[in-house]
Amino acid sequence: MQLNVAQKLIQNHLLSGEMNAGEEIGLRIDQTLTQDATGTMVMLELEAMGIDKVKTEASAQYVDHNLIQEDFRNADDHLFLRSAAQKFGIYFSRPGNGVSHPVHMQQLARPGKTLLGSDSHTCANGCMGMLAMGAGGIDVTMAMAGEPYFVKMPRIMGVELTGKLPDWVSAKDVILEMLRRHGVKGGVGKIIEYYGPGLKELSAMDRHVIANMGAELGATATVFPSDQEIKRFLKQQGRAEDWIELKADKQASYDEYEQIDLSSLEPLIATPSSPDNVMPVAEAAGEAIYQSYIGSSANPGYRDFAIASEIVKGRQIAAGISFDINPTSRQLLEQLVETGHIANLLAAGARMHQAGCNGCIGMGQAPATGRNSLRTTPRNFPGRSGTREDSVFLCSPETAAASALTGVITDPRTLDIPYPKISEPTAFSTQGMLEAPPADNSDIELEKGPNITTIPDFEPLEDNFDLPVLLKMADNISTDEILAGGSRVLPYRSNIQKISTFAFEIIDEDYYEKAMKKRDNGGHMVIAGFNYGQGSSREHAALAPRYLGLKVVLVKDFARIHLQNLINFGILPLTFVQEEDYNLLHQRDILEFRDIHHTIQNQRQFDIQIKDSDHAITVQHDLTKRHLDILLAGGIINWIKQKH
Amino acid sequence: MQLNVAQKLIQNHLLSGEMNAGEEIGLRIDQTLTQDATGTMVMLELEAMGIDKVKTEASAQYVDHNLIQEDFRNADDHLFLRSAAQKFGIYFSRPGNGVSHPVHMQQLARPGKTLLGSDSHTCANGCMGMLAMGAGGIDVTMAMAGEPYFVKMPRIMGVELTGKLPDWVSAKDVILEMLRRHGVKGGVGKIIEYYGPGLKELSAMDRHVIANMGAELGATATVFPSDQEIKRFLKQQGRAEDWIELKADKQASYDEYEQIDLSSLEPLIATPSSPDNVMPVAEAAGEAIYQSYIGSSANPGYRDFAIASEIVKGRQIAAGISFDINPTSRQLLEQLVETGHIANLLAAGARMHQAGCNGCIGMGQAPATGRNSLRTTPRNFPGRSGTREDSVFLCSPETAAASALTGVITDPRTLDIPYPKISEPTAFSTQGMLEAPPADNSDIELEKGPNITTIPDFEPLEDNFDLPVLLKMADNISTDEILAGGSRVLPYRSNIQKISTFAFEIIDEDYYEKAMKKRDNGGHMVIAGFNYGQGSSREHAALAPRYLGLKVVLVKDFARIHLQNLINFGILPLTFVQEEDYNLLHQRDILEFRDIHHTIQNQRQFDIQIKDSDHAITVQHDLTKRHLDILLAGGIINWIKQKH
C-alpha cells in the first residue's frame, strides 16, 4: 500500500486499532514535552503513580510560560520542576532558555518519531517529520509511564504547495491563508500534511510557523516530510546523525485535498478576535496601533527577527508605539546579538524581553484599553493578551515591523524599500540549553516549596453506597464554572488541597463547605443537564471535586474531554436514559448505589433507587473495558500503580 | 565665608530661611524627576491645580517601575503619562528606556542645579554635583508649579576619600562600608559630601552607586563635586556645554567628619534583611544561592555589567542558578551588545531582562522560598523582592558574578583569575531616549483609560461643624493600616474613588460604608494614640480618607510625613493637650467645632465640646502660617489654584 507521511508515522507506532478514520487507535509515544504551566501536575502525577524513570526515548520539561516571578510560587515551581526532571529522568530546560517548541526542535526533535506534549502548540514539531500532538496533562503522564496514547484515527488532508512566496510574504501568510479558507474548526479530527514542489522554498523554521498554527485550525497534527531541508537544519544543530528521510510514497493519497500556489499570496492579517478573521493587510491598513509584538512559537525563527531588524534598521519606531521583541530561545538571542540584529532593534526603540512565551499567553505586555496590538503570535482570542477589552491582530514579522515604523497598520510592500535578504548563520551554540538528567537518581529528592503538595491517595469506588445530591445544575456547565482559571486560582495549580476551595464556587459558594462535611462520611454526587463540562481541558475540574468526595456525576450528556478526565480520576460518569428523570431528582435527595462493581461491568443500563421514595432512576454508561478497569481501580493513578 | 559643595548648592537656591542646621529653608528647584509608580498622581495633581506648563528648567517623567503589563492598567498609565508629559511640558522617557536615575544622569543632570524627584533614590544624581533629593509626590508637584521646596537645613557630613580601591573591590563596597559604620539611620537629617584625593579614582557612575544608596543611610542628599570626571562624562554624552566646575572652597568645613581609605576596603555584603547588616564577603562565603541578580540604580554603570561579563566569559553558571541581568538603560544595553558583553553573559546562561527597575522593586524575579538571592540592588528589606520569606543579600557585581559561577556566596578574590580591566566606550547613542514635549500644548488631551480618574474637588473646612468619631485607634497606626499597599491596592493608584474603598479596612472593614454614609452629611473624624501615620510616605493615606469625608484627625502625636500629607490634603491635624483625654472619647461621640477659622489662626490651644456631654477636650496644633493658609483653602491643590 502506498502511504503518505502521516500514515507512515502512525503505522510505525500503532499498538492497537486499525488506521480507519474515526476508529480508536493506540500509539507508542517516543518523546514528550511538558511546560511549567501544565508540567507541575504531570510531575505530581508521576510521583503519585510511583514511577521511577520515564520510559520514553526522550522527555523534556521546559520553563517558558510563567517567568514573571512576582512572588515565591513561580520560582518554587521552577525548582520543583528541575528536581522532578532529575528524579524521573527528564531533560530540563531552565527559565530563559526559551519557548518549548523551538527549543525542542533545536535540541531533541527527530524525524520519524512521535511527540506528545501538554501544550496545544506541540503540533509545531510536525515540521520535523514527526507526529507531534498536544494533549491533556495526564495523557502525557501516561505516555511518560510507557502507556499508549489513544486517539481516534484522523482523516488526512493533503495540502499541495506550489510556487514561491513573493517578496514581503512569508510563512505566517501561508497559515493565515489556510485559516482564511478553512476557519478555526477546519482541521478538527484531521492531520494536515503539506507536500509538493513549494516545500523547497520553506525552511524548517518556516514550516514550524505553519505547523504551529495547525492548532488554530483545530487539527490533531500537522506533518511535513523530512527532506534535505530538515537534514540541513539538524546539521546546523550538530545533530546530522538524527536525520532520516521520510516522505510520502509516490502514489500516496489523502482523504481530502487542498492546494496553495505560494506565488499568489499577499500579506494577510487576522483581525480581532479570532485567528480565522483573515483579510489582506492592505484592507486593514491605516488603523492606528499601540503595540507591535514580535515573538512566540508562531514566528520563532532567526529570519523572523532578522527581517524585522532589517526593516527598522537605521530608523526610529513611531512615537508612542510599544515595539516588543520576545526572542523565542536563548540560542536565537545569542545569534541575533552576534549578527547585529538586536543592536538594530534596540537602536530603533525596541523593548527587549526575556526569551519565553511572555505576552503570548498574557504574561506581560498586555495592550492598553481598546488600542490595537499587532502580534506575530498564534492566537487573538478575546482577553488572551491580559487586557479584557483587547484588540489583537495576528500577522507576519514583516507586517508588524512595517507598522511599528509608521504607527498604523501597514502593508509592508508599501514601505518602498528593497525586501531584505536574510542569510541564516550556519552554526548555533547549544551550550547549556538542556540539562540532561543524572544517570543515578537514587538520591534526588523532589524540592517542594510551601505551595506544592502531593496528589492525595484516592480510594477505589465502593460496591454499595448512598450518595446525597449536592448540586443540581442546568445545561452547558463549563469547566470554568466547575473550577475557574485566572490569576486568582492558577497559582495553586500545584496544590490540590488549596485549589479545591474554589471548586463550583461560581455555582454555589457553599459547595466547598458542604462537600467537606460529607467527604469522610461517604462522599457526594452532582447532577446536571446537557453538555456538562464543556470548555477548557483542565484536569483540575475533575481532580478538585474528587478530592472533596465527588464519586458520581449524573447528567443528560457530557463534553468529551471532561468525561475522559472524570474517568481518569475515578469519578463514575452516568447519563439519564429518560431525560425527563432529571426533573425527578432534587438537591439533597439521596441515591442508593448497590452491587455497583458487578453492575457496571455487566450492564450498560441499570436502576438506582431514590432513598425514602417510590422512584428509581434508570441510568446508563458508555465505558470501554479500559475505562472500567481505570474506574474500578479508583482512577488512572491507582490503575498504573497496580499495573507496574 | 568658605563653603563646601552642599552649602554652595543651597546658598544658590535659597529662597527663605537661613543655613542653620534644623531651621526650615525654602529652596528653588531647577529640575524634577517622576516615575510611573508615583507620577500618575503627580500628573493628576497638576491637572487638578489647573497648571498649564511646568515652571522648572527641566522636568522628566520616566516609566521604569511597572513594566510588566499583566492587564490594561499599566499600559493605560503609560499612555496617560505620555499625554500628561506632552501637555504639561515634561520630557517623557518611554518604557524600556531604563531606570530614571541613570537615564536622568545621562540626559538631563547638570552640575550646580537642584533636582527633586518622587523617588527615594533621586539622591543618586548628587554624583553630578547637584543637590538631588527624593520627596513625596505633591512636593514634586509643587516644585513643578514653581513653588519652593521646604526642608529643614541638614547637617553636612564630610567624607574624605583617600587611596585607591584594590582589585575586586568597587564602589558598592564603599557605600556598604558607610552602611557598616553608620547604619540605616546614620544619615538622617544630613547631607553627605564626599571629597578628597580618592575621588579621582571614582568615575561618575561609581559616584552614582555611592550617592544612590545614601538613601539607605537615611540622608537628605549626597553630594559630590563637579570635577574633570564629570566633565568627561558629560562630554561622552554630547553635553560638554552643560559642565561647570563646582568644588568646595579650600577652607571649607563640615558639621561632622568621616574618612575612608579606599585601599583598605575588601568585598562586603549586606546580609538579610537590612542594608546595614554588613560583613566581609569572606565571612559569608560558602552559603548556597538560588539567584544572582545584576542591575538597578544601585549598580547602573557600564563597568558594573562589563565586569560581570568578563568574570563569567567562557564559563557556565552553576546548575540551577537563576542569573538575572537587568540592564539599567537602553543606552547601556546597546553599548553592552556592541562590545560583546551581552553575548558573554548569555553564553554563560544569563536570563536577560528588559531595561527597568524590575525585581529591585518586586516586579518580577522574586526568589524561591527561603533561598538566598545575591543582588546588586540597594535594598533588602523583608519581602521587598516579592517573596515574603525572602533572603536577599546586597553586594557588588564582582561578588554576584563570582557567586553565579560557583553557586555559593563567593569572595571574588578567591576565583583565582586576573581582575578584568574595563575600558568604557567613549561615545554613547542618545537617540530616542527622551521625547521632548511639543512647544504648543494647546491641542493635547490627557489620555485616561477607564482606571484613571480625576482628583475630586475638595471643599474648604467650614467654620462651624459637628463631627462623629468613626474610629478610635491605638498607638503606632501605620500608613499601611490606613491604606494598604501591595498588588491588590496599588493598581488603583490613579483612581481615588476606587482606592478609597480600601481605606482603614485592616482596622475596621465597615469604615468605607460608614464614612460614605456621613460623607455628604457633614463628614467625620478619627482619633488615635501616639505615632499616628508612621511608615511609608504614601499620599493616598491622606487623600483616600479625605475623599470619604475625613475632616479632623485628633491623636496623641503624629509621624512627620503623614502630618504633612494631612495638611496638604486639607485635613485638620490636632493633638490632645492632656493625653488622658483620649480615654474620655469613644467611637460614635460627636464633637462640636465652633468658630474654627478664627480659632486656629489665633490660638495654639482651644476646647472642643463633646455633644450631649458635660465634657470638653482641650486640643492643640503646631501649624505655621503657610500650613494654615493651605488648610483654610481646603488643601494645597485649592491653595495653589487661588495663588495662580
Side-chain angles (χ1 to χ4, degrees), chain A residues 386-494:
Chain A
T387 293
R388 195 178 287 252
E389 307 286 333
D390 62 8
S391 176
V392 176
F393 296 72
L394 309 177
C395 63
S396 69
E398 287 88 338
T399 300
S403 305
L405 285 180
T406 60
V408 298
I409 295 177
T410 299
D411 183 332
R413 297 173 301 184
T414 65
L415 279 185
D416 209 21
I417 58 173
Y419 188 53
K421 298 295 171 206
I422 306 299
S423 50
E424 303 234 345
T426 51
F428 291 82
S429 154
T430 58
Q431 198 179 24
M433 292 297 287
L434 283 185
E435 199 177 304
D440 176 9
N441 68 354
S442 56
D443 66 344
I444 308 280
E445 295 287 332
L446 293 179
E447 292 184 25
K448 291 184 174 182
N451 186 45
I452 302 170
T453 61
T454 298
I455 297 180
D457 285 333
F458 293 126
E459 294 296 312
L461 211 57
E462 298 96 330
D463 206 19
N464 296 285
F465 49 98
D466 292 356
L467 290 182
V469 175
L470 271 203
L471 296 174
K472 180 174 177 178
M473 295 172 278
D475 295 341
N476 297 315
I477 298 297
S478 76
T479 49
D480 277 315
E481 289 159 285
I482 301 173
L483 192 77
S487 59
R488 200 170 53 98
V489 178
L490 277 185
Y492 301 104
R493 62 185 175 266
S494 314

Side-chain angles (χ1 to χ4, degrees), chain B residues 91-407:
Chain B
Y91 287 95
F92 180 71
S93 174
R94 66 186 174 213
N97 273 357
V99 181
S100 64
H101 311 304
V103 177
H104 198 89
M105 180 179 167
Q106 291 159 347
Q107 303 288 309
L108 291 174
R110 293 181 64 177
K113 300 292 182 183
T114 52
L115 168 67
L116 197 71
S118 60
D119 185 285
S120 60
H121 289 108
T122 302
C123 52
N125 270 279
C127 66
M128 294 292 287
M130 299 180 85
L131 182 66
M133 297 167 287
I138 206 157
D139 290 325
V140 180
T141 309
M142 294 296 285
M144 292 162 103
E147 294 294 317
Y149 177 59
F150 294 95
V151 64
K152 284 189 177 158
M153 175 68 199
R155 287 170 60 78
I156 302 177
M157 177 198 278
V159 181
E160 186 186 21
L161 301 177
T162 60
K164 181 172 184 287
L165 289 169
D167 284 355
W168 299 104
V169 180
S170 60
K172 187 62 154 280
D173 299 304
V174 178
I175 188 66
L176 288 173
E177 173 66 11
M178 281 293 285
L179 279 154
R180 190 186 69 75
R181 294 189 193 182
H182 296 278
V184 293
K185 290 183 175 171
V188 172
K190 299 176 192 172
I191 293 175
I192 301 171
E193 179 171 329
Y194 292 88
Y195 68 99
L199 277 184
K200 67 176 182 297
E201 306 294 336
L202 298 173
S203 73
M205 273 295 181
D206 290 340
R207 299 176 192 184
H208 184 117
V209 173
I210 295 169
N212 183 285
M213 285 182 67
E216 280 54 64
L217 288 162
T220 303
T222 293
V223 299
F224 281 86
S226 172
D227 57 12
Q228 291 302 314
E229 172 53 30
I230 302 304
K231 187 176 184 178
R232 191 182 71 80
F233 177 83
L234 283 169
K235 202 172 157 196
Q236 273 183 349
Q237 298 288 336
R239 298 202 288 128
E241 71 282 6
D242 287 348
W243 183 74
I244 59 161
E245 187 170 52
L246 183 66
K247 54 181 188 178
D249 293 331
K250 285 233 167 64
Q251 307 296 322
S253 65
Y254 296 94
D255 296 319
E256 50 191 285
Y257 288 88
E258 178 58 282
Q259 198 271 345
I260 296 176
D261 175 4
L262 299 175
S263 65
S264 72
L265 296 182
E266 65 176 313
L268 296 173
I269 194 165
T271 63
S273 292
S274 179
D276 59 359
N277 283 346
V278 176
M279 63 169 66
V281 176
E283 287 179 24
E287 257 199 87
I289 66 167
Y290 158 75
Q291 182 174 51
S292 168
Y293 180 117
I294 295 184
S296 93
S297 64
N299 269 112
Y302 176 86
R303 62 87 48 206
D304 294 325
F305 293 84
I307 195 95
S309 144
E310 290 294 336
I311 291 170
V312 302
K313 185 176 179 175
R315 299 176 174 84
Q316 281 289 296
I317 59 164
I321 301 295
S322 189
F323 185 37
D324 291 282
I325 305 296
N326 289 267
T328 37
S329 73
R330 197 153 59 83
Q331 181 187 86
L332 171 83
L333 178 56
E334 286 186 55
Q335 284 295 333
L336 292 169
V337 165
E338 193 180 311
T339 51
H341 291 302
I342 293 297
N344 292 344
L345 290 162
L346 284 169
R351 299 171 68 176
M352 187 64 50
H353 301 277
Q354 185 177 192
C357 301
N358 306 342
C360 176
I361 37 87
M363 297 299 283
Q365 301 168 65
T369 306
R371 301 302 182 100
N372 295 323
S373 169
L374 259 58
R375 298 180 168 216
T376 66
T377 60
R379 286 180 180 150
N380 60 348
F381 300 141
R384 181 177 162 96
S385 68
T387 293
R388 194 178 288 252
E389 308 284 332
D390 62 8
S391 176
V392 176
F393 296 70
L394 309 177
C395 63
S396 69
E398 287 88 338
T399 300
S403 305
L405 285 178
T406 61

